[in-house]
Amino acid sequence: MDDGVITNNNNNNNNNYNNTKMSDNARSSLTSVEPTLPNDNTTIPNNNNASATYASLSTDISTLNSITGTNTSTVPQSITNTTTTTTNNNNNNSNENDMTRQRKTTKFILSKYTIYETKERMYVVGSNKRETMFRILEIDLTMADQELTVLEDNIFFTRNEIIDVLAELEKESDDGLKKRLTGYGLLGFIKFTSCYYLVVITKHRQVAVIGGHSVYHIDGTELVPITNNYKKPDKYSTEAKLMSTFQNLDLTKTFYFSYTYDITNTLQTNLLREKLKAVNRPDISIPAGIPDYNEMFVWNNFLLLPLFNSLNTVYDWFQCIIHGFIDQVNVSLLGKSIYITLIARRSHHFAGARFLKRGVNTQGYVANEVETEQIVTDMILTPFHKSGHGFFDSDRYTSFVQHRGSIPLYWIQEASNLKAKPPIEINVVDPYFSPAALHFDRLFQQYGGGTVQVLNLIKTKEKTPRETKLLKEFEQCISYLNKHLPDQKKIDYVSWDMSRASKQDGQKVIEFLETYALKTVYETGIFHNNSTFNQTRLQEGVCRSNCIDCLDRTNAAQFVIGKKALGIQLKALGIIEDTYLEYDSDIVNILTELFHDLGDTIALQYGGSHLVNTMETYRKINQWSSHSRDMVESIKRFYSNSFIDAQRQDAINLFLGNYIWKPDAPPIWELNTDFYLHNEYAIVGPKRSYTHWWNNYHIKSIRELLREEIIENNNDITLEKLRLNIRGYPDAFDNYWNEYYLPRSLTWMQDLFAYNMNSTRRYESTRKNKKSVSPFDTQKQSWINKRLKTLLMAEEEKCKGHAVLKEEKQKVITSNYEIDLSLYHLKNFIANGRELQSRLYDLSFHEIPILASGKARDAYLLPSLSAAEYSSDNGTTIDLNELYPKNSVSVDSLYYSNLEKLSLNDLEPLDCYDETVLSVTDLTVDPEDLIIYQNTTDINSKTLVFVD
């Protein structure tokens, strides 16, 4: 049997269910007792008599729901019944919305898989890290050419029990029970022309730890044939060619998974979902319409399709993998460790090589679409929980998310003429920009309904139009989509020719990007976890960056934006006071390395070479060595695009299920184009509107949603709610302990992940200034830091004011805030009066403020004349009626004298807010002036009244 074979199949049939069941004699060694829930934190005594005890899932439906999060409508009537999956070839294109998906239970995580074979069946024995609990998955080997049959008894076994079961199976098999291999993950099944293959992870290594949960890189895979008479296919057969094509996609390069942490979703999504469990609101989906793993980033989704319809423990057995980049570094600060984690998730939709995948497909998915998340953690404690009885409430976790992707238009670049820069052609013109509408609607959905900011970095001027063709069309697209969007949700579009700016003298690129980064990070905000919904800061919206390839220019822009976000994240954690991080400091240098590695990885996946232009190029550092490197990478990218991309594209199409072999269809290597593999023209469901192109639920603000559904209903997280809604709280609800502190293992210090992690400590030997130990101090005397600080100082104050105002509007108003808000609005009111008084001082001898309503405030502003022109000393006479409309300016001295006498200590909050404020008789202000005051203060239609 050849261990190097890969298989996958989607055949389902229930006719041979009885043929695949475990033998009665083997099963008779187990006797059912009162079911108990196994737990990685629970000690289970060994028992030599396998019939004495075994652990199984409770048959109580409510218990199963609390464990697995499964909808009761999908739970089998008897949990101890056998679950069978039989897959037919005709179901390859089943709708993912019809799939029965089940969240993993965190009580019992499978992390080691041992595969045994008899002549008729394959047994996959899964165990937890402590190897105290086991489960068995059975796969029929007798009819693998026609169908795939997978069976599992929902029974947990102890160590002694599993030994007895395997011994019984070996006795009953004529050829005995043979151990095939040991693996550390299962990715799914695939079929080419004959039998299925099981894809098994055989090697892995840790690359990051998030909240005590390890993230792994795949280092080795093996393809196991699901048949009892496997023969290596002929070298020139279709089976062998398809297998070779499949193996062209190297799963040991930049594919990642985790046993206990969902790496397909952002940190904000994962932690908010846990908080929703605490308040018993499973009906709220975050993001809207995505209740589970984010299918967009699950690269083995096609390999799992055969299992979803029938096996309701898919995620217990199989790991979801992402393709992209994950790395983590340690910033050492006076003995404290700050972890910076960078995660890039590549979409598996419309995926492929550079010149073969451009623009957008009919479903609104764009080429080279990558989500980049930046997680910054103060590692005072490892888990997501505070010490004591915390529940995902640690305030030491922050994150920030960016997005990149090709311009969402129908455009192509033909690489057949062997030009380094082929001409750009817009091959389809859609006046309603329907694919772009789908794309931006999905961005609203994924990022909390906030503002989508578009940073377009392509050229704005060219002698021979190439990129400028897309510029004009893209701007028309944004203009059309914004025409129909609500004002507060309009797409924030900025176009800037980064290539042109990089050729100018000075640091124009850095200066512009630093200014833009400041605005965009303050606009979207960052995620900062805390104990309750009301205290947690949320990121709402995203910055979408693009150039032509979304590689060099885009990566540099995302680095500068990430640098600004890092400063704000560190300030939120209380580590620094100034959000500006100096270039050439240790922390910026290590962040530069992170983004450089990310950019190289994304460029290799999409373009076939490393980055051509790096941050050194745009900062104009080491220009000679940087220029020579850029030329070498350009040649590599040209070679890859010309000769290798077609093979890589075939491998991607086969792995993702875009191409499925059929006897009467041409093989994948004979297709002239894969256009129809990535574009669907069949209209499913009602036709979308050309004007109301967005989903109302997708543009709903996540802050408003949580405020309305949770906070205003007094349903925020409390200790009582945790005890009521979280099963196992406070003793065992998160098994990070067994994940982070590996049981039954002896590890040398030099083998520990935390010991080998890249850190700022390695810069200590290269520092020129030996007295400086702070990672925030620059190691070079650079004028750019001083210039940027001056440039950004005033701009940051504006952004802070805007952010404070935005948070003020989102804050829930209760009686406890009344006095504080009264003081806040009173100060603003008096400040506006003083500003008007200063403008009119030369026109009036009154030394009291001028009251102005918000609607007419613009009419009160003086023309741009100097004070000398209005001075009475030069004999100039000014008539107020000529400057302002009649009766537009009024002065009420009694009103202001009452305000001056007003003391906050004499104020009392009202029991409730009264809409008919004029019915209150004891007012210290004139009712008409009070109406004007209310117009100048936006308090969301809630009235504040000052009462002596």
Side-chain angles (χ1 to χ4, degrees):
M1 187 176 293
D2 187 1
D3 290 345
V5 180
I6 301 180
T7 74
N8 184 350
N9 197 334
N10 294 331
N11 294 333
N12 287 331
N13 194 328
N14 292 325
N15 296 333
N16 295 282
Y17 166 82
N18 293 327
N19 294 332
T20 64
K21 297 176 67 175
M22 187 186 298
S23 67
D24 292 337
N25 291 335
R27 185 171 282 102
S28 65
S29 64
L30 302 177
T31 304
S32 176
V33 297
E34 184 67 24
T36 58
L37 177 67
N39 189 330
D40 276 351
N41 300 319
T42 304
T43 301
I44 300 178
N46 291 330
N47 192 331
N48 293 329
N49 185 2
S51 64
T53 179
Y54 79 100
S56 67
L57 285 177
S58 171
T59 57
D60 180 67
I61 297 300
S62 61
T63 302
L64 183 72
N65 287 339
S66 65
I67 299 169
T68 63
T70 306
N71 190 303
T72 55
S73 62
T74 65
V75 177
Q77 293 181 356
S78 176
I79 301 303
T80 57
N81 286 344
T82 302
T83 301
T84 307
T85 297
T86 310
T87 308
N88 291 328
N89 283 333
N90 295 331
N91 293 335
N92 283 330
N93 296 322
S94 60
N95 192 334
E96 69 173 88
N97 295 327
D98 297 332
M99 301 171 191
T100 302
R101 297 195 173 191
Q102 180 180 5
R103 296 288 292 174
K104 272 188 177 179
T105 169
T106 58
K107 295 293 182 179
F108 180 17
I109 302 299
L110 300 178
S111 58
K112 187 176 181 180
Y113 304 83
T114 306
I115 300 177
Y116 299 89
E117 286 182 352
T118 65
K119 187 174 182 180
E120 296 180 346
R121 299 178 187 89
M122 176 183 291
Y123 299 96
V124 182
V125 179
S127 66
N128 60 353
K129 279 185 177 289
R130 298 168 61 188
E131 297 188 51
T132 57
M133 298 301 302
F134 299 82
R135 293 166 71 174
I136 295 181
L137 192 71
E138 301 178 51
I139 305 173
D140 182 27
L141 300 180
T142 59
M143 302 184 66
D145 291 347
Q146 292 80 28
E147 59 192 23
L148 172 68
T149 304
V150 180
L151 174 150
E152 186 203 15
D153 281 338
N154 289 304
I155 299 176
F156 296 99
F157 302 93
T158 63
R159 175 182 290 274
N160 288 337
E161 289 171 349
I162 200 66
I163 292 175
D164 292 343
V165 171
L166 294 176
E168 190 66 29
L169 289 173
E170 186 170 16
K171 289 180 183 179
E172 294 186 352
S173 176
D174 296 336
D175 297 332
L177 184 70
K178 300 178 182 178
K179 181 179 177 180
R180 176 62 187 274
L181 61 85
T182 298
Y184 300 94
L186 305 178
L187 300 184
F189 297 90
I190 189 169
K191 181 179 181 179
F192 302 122
T193 64
S194 57
C195 67
Y196 284 96
Y197 298 84
L198 174 63
V199 186
V200 183
I201 300 172
T202 56
K203 296 179 182 179
H204 68 305
R205 59 183 168 87
Q206 187 177 0
V207 293
V209 57
I210 304 174
H213 303 276
S214 299
V215 181
Y216 299 95
H217 179 271
I218 298 176
D219 285 345
T221 61
E222 191 162 327
L223 310 170
V224 181
I226 307 300
T227 180
N228 59 358
N229 58 352
Y230 179 75
K231 294 181 181 179
K232 186 174 182 179
D234 181 73
K235 181 178 179 181
Y236 301 102
S237 65
T238 302
E239 175 83 4
K241 290 182 179 179
L242 287 173
M243 192 181 305
S244 176
T245 299
F246 185 92
Q247 291 172 330
N248 283 336
L249 182 65
D250 192 350
L251 293 176
T252 65
K253 292 182 178 179
T254 62
F255 283 88
Y256 305 87
F257 73 97
S258 175
Y259 296 114
T260 55
Y261 181 76
D262 182 3
I263 58 175
T264 68
N265 282 299
T266 63
L267 179 69
Q268 173 171 303
T269 295
N270 289 331
L271 295 189
L272 287 181
R273 285 177 176 176
E274 297 296 338
K275 293 179 186 295
L276 288 173
K277 294 178 184 177
V279 297
N280 195 26
R281 289 302 302 271
D283 56 306
I284 298 178
S285 176
I286 296 178
I290 306 178
D292 211 305
Y293 291 100
N294 194 335
E295 184 273 341
M296 182 177 181
F297 303 116
V298 179
W299 269 66
N300 59 328
N301 186 68
F302 173 70
L303 306 184
L304 299 175
L305 283 182
L307 303 166
F308 282 130
N309 288 330
S310 302
L311 187 65
N312 57 2
T313 56
V314 174
Y315 292 141
D316 286 357
W317 284 96
F318 296 85
Q319 282 67 45
C320 293
I321 61 172
I322 69 169
H323 186 34
F325 173 84
I326 298 180
D327 198 7
Q328 189 173 57
V329 297
N330 178 17
V331 179
S332 180
L333 181 63
L334 299 178
K336 178 183 290 189
S337 292
I338 309 298
Y339 282 8
I340 303 176
T341 310
L342 211 57
I343 303 177
R345 307 175 180 94
R346 177 180 291 281
S347 170
H348 73 80
H349 295 286
F350 205 46
R354 182 188 178 200
F355 286 139
L356 301 178
K357 287 293 165 285
R358 292 296 210 188
V360 67
N361 67 2
T362 54
Q363 290 80 47
Y365 295 104
V366 298
N368 199 22
E369 188 165 8
V370 181
E371 175 185 87
T372 303
E373 182 178 20
Q374 178 177 299
I375 301 174
V376 180
T377 309
D378 182 1
M379 295 298 291
I380 294 178
L381 292 175
T382 299
F384 292 125
H385 326 288
K386 290 182 179 178
S387 58
H389 297 322
F391 180 80
F392 295 94
D393 58 348
S394 173
D395 59 356
R396 314 314 295 165
Y397 281 86
T398 66
S399 72
F400 178 75
V401 180
Q402 303 182 65
H403 196 92
R404 74 171 76 184
S406 187
I407 296 176
L409 302 170
Y410 290 120
W411 61 282
I412 58 173
Q413 273 185 294
E414 296 289 347
S416 59
N417 53 9
L418 296 181
K419 290 184 179 179
K421 293 184 177 180
I424 294 174
E425 298 295 338
I426 300 176
N427 54 336
V428 177
V429 177
D430 181 0
Y432 302 106
F433 303 100
S434 299
L438 290 171
H439 174 70
F440 283 106
D441 183 45
R442 193 172 293 113
L443 292 182
F444 280 120
Q445 176 190 19
Q446 288 183 265
Y447 303 110
T451 302
V452 175
Q453 301 177 72
V454 176
L455 178 59
N456 187 10
L457 301 171
I458 65 175
K459 296 178 180 179
T460 57
K461 292 182 180 180
E462 292 176 304
K463 293 181 179 180
T464 302
R466 288 183 63 258
E467 298 184 13
T468 51
K469 294 180 182 179
L470 295 176
L471 175 67
K472 182 179 179 181
E473 190 74 9
F474 193 23
E475 290 179 345
Q476 291 178 358
C477 169
I478 298 296
S479 177
Y480 174 81
L481 297 179
N482 273 340
K483 183 188 303 182
H484 306 289
L485 270 174
D487 290 341
Q488 66 275 18
K489 299 295 181 181
K490 291 189 183 301
I491 300 169
D492 185 1
Y493 174 82
V494 173
S495 175
W496 179 62
D497 191 339
M498 184 171 175
S499 178
R500 186 183 185 90
S502 66
K503 297 175 183 177
Q504 298 175 355
D505 295 334
Q507 298 288 332
K508 299 295 183 183
V509 171
I510 302 301
E511 291 176 11
F512 173 85
L513 291 177
E514 284 280 354
T515 305
Y516 182 84
L518 182 67
K519 295 177 181 178
T520 189
V521 178
Y522 272 107
E523 174 64 30
T524 63
I526 65 169
F527 170 71
H528 185 195
N529 190 48
N530 216 312
S531 302
T532 64
F533 285 103
N534 201 25
Q535 295 172 318
T536 300
R537 292 174 59 182
L538 303 178
Q539 177 176 347
E540 191 177 83
V542 72
C543 177
R544 182 198 189 277
S545 307
N546 71 264
C547 49
I548 288 297
D549 298 323
C550 300
L551 296 177
D552 304 343
R553 287 171 282 182
T554 298
N555 201 72
Q558 289 201 340
F559 161 74
V560 177
I561 295 173
K563 171 179 169 292
K564 172 49 64 177
L566 176 59
I568 295 176
Q569 288 174 284
L570 292 173
K571 183 175 182 180
L573 294 174
I575 296 172
I576 59 176
E577 295 183 357
D578 186 3
T579 61
Y580 179 79
L581 301 177
E582 295 186 337
Y583 284 94
D584 301 310
S585 62
D586 289 351
I587 192 168
V588 172
N589 286 340
I590 204 165
L591 183 70
T592 304
E593 287 186 27
L594 271 178
F595 271 91
H596 190 282
D597 292 342
L598 180 148
D600 280 343
T601 302
I602 298 300
L604 282 168
Q605 294 166 1
Y606 183 61
S609 73
H610 294 88
L611 289 173
V612 173
N613 299 307
T614 64
M615 276 305 300
E616 288 187 346
T617 306
Y618 294 111
R619 286 190 62 192
K620 301 179 179 179
I621 301 174
N622 302 327
Q623 295 191 51
W624 287 107
S625 59
S626 175
H627 182 66
S628 61
R629 177 193 180 278
D630 296 348
M631 291 181 61
V632 171
E633 294 304 329
S634 295
I635 296 172
K636 288 182 180 179
R637 185 173 295 183
F638 172 72
Y639 174 82
S640 175
N641 299 155
S642 301
F643 304 105
I644 302 177
D645 281 359
Q647 298 177 12
R648 289 198 298 126
Q649 187 66 58
D650 289 345
I652 292 172
N653 287 337
L654 189 60
F655 181 85
L656 296 178
N658 299 323
Y659 171 86
I660 300 173
W661 179 84
K662 295 179 181 179
D664 56 346
I668 189 171
W669 51 85
E670 292 183 2
L671 296 178
N672 293 326
T673 178
D674 65 349
F675 179 83
Y676 294 101
L677 301 180
H678 293 268
N679 293 272
E680 297 179 3
Y681 289 95
I683 299 177
V684 179
K687 189 176 181 181
R688 293 179 66 98
S689 170
Y690 290 134
T691 55
H692 194 94
W693 53 265
W694 63 92
N695 186 319
N696 288 337
Y697 291 102
H698 294 171
I699 67 171
K700 175 74 173 179
S701 166
I702 188 174
R703 293 193 187 101
E704 293 180 5
L705 174 66
L706 295 176
R707 175 170 57 83
E708 295 170 0
E709 297 293 333
I710 305 294
I711 304 173
E712 287 186 347
N713 292 327
N714 294 322
N715 192 31
D716 213 336
I717 300 174
T718 61
L719 188 60
E720 291 73 19
K721 288 186 174 65
L722 290 173
R723 289 172 176 165
L724 178 65
N725 299 321
I726 303 301
R727 192 179 189 280
Y729 180 86
D731 297 326
F733 56 86
D734 184 7
N735 70 341
Y736 76 91
W737 184 268
N738 285 325
E739 174 75 11
Y740 189 68
Y741 301 100
L742 300 180
R744 302 168 62 94
S745 64
L746 177 64
T747 307
W748 298 102
M749 178 66 73
Q750 58 267 26
D751 295 332
L752 289 175
F753 169 72
Y755 182 82
N756 293 314
M757 187 189 305
N758 189 9
S759 173
T760 54
R761 287 191 296 267
R762 68 183 181 84
Y763 292 115
E764 294 177 359
S765 60
T766 60
R767 285 178 181 159
K768 295 181 179 179
N769 184 5
K770 299 297 182 180
K771 296 182 180 180
S772 174
V773 296
S774 173
F776 303 104
D777 293 339
T778 183
Q779 301 302 313
K780 296 180 181 179
Q781 296 298 326
S782 176
W783 61 270
I784 187 64
N785 287 315
K786 295 181 181 179
R787 177 169 176 79
L788 288 176
K789 282 184 178 180
T790 305
L791 181 66
L792 299 176
M793 187 177 300
E795 193 66 36
E796 187 163 12
E797 290 301 320
K798 296 180 183 178
C799 293
K800 284 181 180 178
H802 177 71
V804 169
L805 182 61
K806 191 174 182 179
E807 289 184 8
E808 183 71 26
K809 291 183 178 181
Q810 297 291 344
K811 195 176 286 184
V812 178
I813 308 302
T814 64
S815 59
N816 296 331
Y817 295 112
E818 185 170 345
I819 298 299
D820 292 337
L821 284 176
S822 300
L823 179 61
Y824 172 78
H825 291 293
L826 183 60
K827 287 181 177 179
N828 287 343
F829 177 76
I830 295 175
N832 290 337
R834 287 176 177 170
E835 181 180 356
L836 288 170
Q837 177 189 6
S838 64
R839 289 177 177 272
L840 295 173
Y841 182 77
D842 292 325
L843 302 179
S844 172
F845 294 97
H846 297 286
E847 296 184 358
I848 51 179
I850 304 298
L851 176 65
S853 70
K855 296 180 180 179
R857 186 178 295 123
D858 292 341
Y860 304 153
L861 300 180
L862 287 173
S864 56
L865 299 178
S866 64
E869 295 178 275
Y870 287 110
S871 174
S872 57
D873 297 338
N874 60 12
T876 305
T877 302
I878 301 297
D879 188 357
L880 288 178
N881 293 326
E882 294 180 1
L883 292 175
Y884 305 103
K886 189 175 182 181
N887 299 326
S888 63
V889 179
S890 60
V891 177
D892 189 338
S893 58
L894 178 61
Y895 171 74
Y896 286 99
S897 63
N898 289 334
L899 279 181
E900 292 174 359
K901 297 176 183 178
L902 192 61
S903 174
L904 288 178
N905 295 329
D906 299 328
L907 299 179
E908 295 179 1
L910 295 179
D911 293 335
C912 61
Y913 294 107
D914 194 343
E915 295 294 338
T916 58
V917 64
L918 295 181
S919 64
V920 181
T921 57
D922 191 11
L923 296 178
T924 62
V925 297
D926 185 78
E928 294 182 359
D929 288 342
L930 181 61
I931 293 175
I932 299 177
Y933 168 74
Q934 293 168 355
N935 291 335
T936 63
T937 58
D938 182 14
I939 323 173
N940 297 328
S941 74
K942 289 186 170 68
T943 306
L944 295 177
V945 179
F946 299 104
V947 181
D948 283 336

